[in-house]
Amino acid sequence: MPGTADWPRLQRRLARTLRAVIYGFAALAAAGVLVWQPPPIVAAIGPGGLYALGVVGALAGAAALVASLTHRWRAEWVATWFVAAAFAAYTTIDWAMVLVGHYGRIPGSAVLTALTAAIAARGVDLWVFHLETSHARRARVRRWRTVAGLVA
């Protein structure tokens, strides 16, 4: 698991469980938008736009959940960005509604922003892990080629 390989077993499991909870509830929220379409959001972006955000969020959230639980960090990395993008778009619309006077949406908008930031932060963590593993792989290949006499 990226970044947690040297953690104690309990903490690794807790981290994986918490990520699964984040992705699972993100997928549930996106699916919920498909079933119970909030009228103000439909009015802002139309049913097609809301449907697209819901489908992307639900499918990518489910994919990230499965990838996280099965230790497929590359699949999780890709899915994470789609989840974050869908939630960022929805969150932007929610905050726009706050700016035009729907102040009762502030708590929900803030929670959506926190969720979007948490998912994006995981995407950045996986991106850094990818860069580290790519660098290590290139260094191994360079050493092997040097030892094998393929590079002068």
Side-chain angles (χ1 to χ4, degrees), residues 52-124:
L53 289 178
V55 167
V56 168
L59 292 177
L65 169 66
V66 171
S68 177
L69 291 175
T70 58
H71 308 281
R72 303 288 188 247
W73 69 267
R74 286 181 180 92
E76 179 186 354
W77 180 33
V78 172
T80 295
W81 292 114
F82 284 97
V83 176
F87 273 79
Y90 191 95
T91 302
T92 301
I93 294 162
D94 220 39
W95 277 112
M97 294 175 68
V98 169
L99 292 176
V100 297
H102 297 277
Y103 301 116
R105 298 187 77 91
I106 289 174
S109 298
V111 169
L112 283 170
T113 302
L115 175 64
T116 304
I119 292 170
R122 177 62 179 166
V124 171

Side-chain angles (χ1 to χ4, degrees), residues 138-152:
R138 283 192 304 273
R140 276 194 314 274
V141 169
R142 251 190 325 273
R143 282 192 306 272
W144 177 83
R145 287 181 177 163
T146 301
V147 169
L150 298 174
V151 176

